[in-house]
Amino acid sequence: MTDLQIQYKGISTYTKSKGISSLVLAHQTEIESVNNIPCFFWGSLTDPYVTAKCWSTIAKVVRSSFGPIPPSLRDPIASAGTEKIRFEGFSSCNGVYVRLDMKPEAIDGDFIATGTTNVDFNDPMLNALNSIQKNEKVTLAVGQQEMQVITSTTKVTEKKVTLPMRWIKGLTCVQLYLADMDLKFEANKIQTIQLFQTLPKGSVKGDFFITKRAGKFTFSTLATADGVRIGGIQRLRLLEGILAIVEKIFVYESADRETCAIVCEFGKMQLLMAFSPDAYRGFSGEGKALEHMTGNLPVEWIHGLNSLLKSNETFDPTLLSIEHDIDFGTMDQLTSNLSSIGLLGYDVTERNHFYRQLPFKTERILSLNPRLKNAKKLIENSDVTIVDKKDGYVEANVKGSGVVHKVIIDHNGYRCTCEWFTAYQGKRGICKHVLALKIAL
């Protein structure tokens, strides 16, 4: 699969003059109207040391890999708007998702425009982040004036990077996992340090669980009723660089106990790190978004929402339904569709969605999933035959490769006789045969 090529007109720069540090993040997007905006935000960081540590953690995540895919340099996605700035990204294997939510108290400046872009985190800038002191004054610009480098020593250079298709697919899935999570544990600073002191050394196999006994948290190989499962526990070492400055952590777990997330609280900002079920399983391949892609979302609706909502704005389906006279059932479907194509993110602490203006065209997302393509091909070839349909029950025959599969959808869920369903039992998304029947219905 070909990655999305991004060409920067300049590079991210970090300069220091008369004791004032300036950080300018180069940006580029497929959306022309956003590309014409020289800068989204310009201002200063109120807590530059903590911010720098969090950015370094994000860079650590996006340069890591825990699966068969080798680590490679990737650039985080930044969203500016509604008095907030968010940075997010994935590990190269797509099994770890990270997001920094910078609250209004973390920044002091002007939002010139609202939007989302992927930014250039280059080596010189990362080295500079590591040198930032607690009392330094740091100016942040998300974007770049006239797409030029603001420094007297560095020439303007073009730089090609890639936005991986796995990231785009991951954005269509990860918020569906986050929306399914509940808070399990809250640990203060001392409890957090004690917990990570029990983190096993080296690369270990098997499941581990975060458990709490007598007010103390620990990692254990023993499953308990209230324990939070973590697959690929070595991935938690990505958090080690911020443990000394974290105020508290919140541990979340999905309803199926397959995925988990840890939210690190710093007062003015929060860093969330979500982990796929296992180190070898990326969020992009789980197929959780497939069930919400059966309906076609009109392009004009997407353009309408882009003009109506700002990046990072809270997405309130009930309020939107009332204000714009949209049926509640239609709004529920719209919310699912927007989530499934990555236009909605999810805040686990606030328990609500937020709108995300993507730096790439939405039609790109709809063509990424091979199961969705194959399901639509089954429909086009008339390979789906409904043999029984009544209240709460549908049975169909769906042609496979030299065999006909039986698909049943009822109040208990769905079932299929294919090898995919037999192997995963729906844990990695629905198979193309169930998806084809859902589309047909």
Side-chain angles (χ1 to χ4, degrees), residues 134-395:
K134 292 184 178 180
N135 297 323
E136 267 191 81
K137 180 176 176 60
V138 177
T139 299
L140 169 68
V142 180
Q144 187 169 337
Q145 295 285 356
E146 299 179 355
M147 306 300 284
Q148 295 180 352
V149 179
I150 306 176
T151 176
S152 59
T153 59
T154 306
K155 295 182 180 180
V156 174
T157 59
E158 295 183 353
K159 178 182 177 182
K160 289 184 178 180
V161 298
T162 57
L163 184 62
M165 290 303 178
R166 293 187 307 279
W167 279 34
I168 301 177
K169 290 179 68 176
L171 288 173
T172 69
C173 294
V174 71
Q175 73 279 348
L176 299 174
Y177 286 93
L178 295 177
D180 190 40
M181 289 185 179
D182 291 313
L183 177 64
K184 295 298 181 181
F185 296 125
E186 177 182 338
N188 60 33
K189 186 182 186 70
I190 295 176
Q191 290 173 323
T192 299
I193 294 174
Q194 290 175 337
L195 170 64
F196 276 82
Q197 285 175 343
T198 67
L199 189 64
K201 304 294 183 181
S203 180
V204 294
K205 296 182 179 180
D207 293 339
F208 277 77
F209 301 84
I210 299 179
T211 60
K212 184 180 182 181
R213 291 292 179 270
K216 185 177 180 179
F217 294 96
T218 185
F219 293 110
S220 172
T221 57
L222 300 177
T224 60
D226 60 347
V228 174
R229 174 190 174 275
I230 299 179
I233 193 171
Q234 67 271 20
R235 298 181 292 178
L236 291 185
R237 295 200 175 278
L238 292 168
L239 290 166
E240 289 181 330
I242 54 176
L243 294 179
I245 58 174
V246 71
E247 295 180 5
K248 64 176 68 173
I249 66 169
F250 302 91
V251 181
Y252 291 81
E253 186 181 44
S254 60
D256 61 7
R257 307 193 70 178
E258 287 285 302
T259 58
C260 68
I262 294 179
V263 176
C264 299
E265 176 63 56
F266 301 97
K268 296 180 180 180
M269 61 197 83
Q270 289 180 329
L271 186 136
L272 175 144
M273 202 173 289
F275 304 90
S276 63
D278 290 290
Y280 60 87
R281 290 168 61 179
F283 283 110
S284 61
E286 294 299 284
K288 195 174 181 71
L290 283 170
E291 294 186 55
H292 305 287
M293 289 186 176
T294 55
N296 291 321
L297 184 64
V299 176
E300 57 268 20
W301 285 38
I302 297 175
H303 292 316
L305 285 169
N306 262 323
S307 60
L308 179 66
L309 300 175
K310 296 180 180 179
S311 196
N312 293 331
E313 184 174 350
T314 298
F315 185 85
D316 189 330
T318 303
L319 186 61
L320 283 172
S321 295
I322 295 172
E323 288 183 346
H324 300 281
D325 195 25
I326 302 174
D327 179 78
F328 287 115
T330 302
M331 181 55 70
D332 288 341
Q333 182 64 29
L334 176 62
T335 302
S336 297
N337 275 271
L338 290 172
S339 294
S340 69
I341 61 174
L343 288 176
L344 294 184
Y346 192 79
D347 190 324
V348 294
T349 57
E350 297 294 332
R351 307 296 296 174
N352 57 34
H353 288 90
F354 61 87
Y355 193 70
R356 180 196 286 120
Q357 291 176 325
L358 294 174
F360 41 79
K361 297 174 182 178
T362 53
E363 54 263 32
R364 180 183 296 277
I365 304 171
L366 301 177
S367 63
L368 290 179
N369 201 292
R371 260 182 278 173
L372 181 60
K373 291 180 183 177
N374 291 334
K376 290 185 175 181
K377 190 173 181 179
L378 290 172
I379 297 295
E380 293 171 0
N381 295 339
S382 300
D383 290 337
V384 179
T385 304
I386 297 176
V387 296
D388 191 9
K389 183 179 181 181
K390 51 193 174 186
D391 290 342
Y393 181 90
V394 179
E395 180 180 330

Side-chain angles (χ1 to χ4, degrees), residues 38-49:
C39 185
F40 291 137
F41 170 84
W42 184 280
S44 60
L45 304 176
T46 62
D47 200 339
Y49 181 75

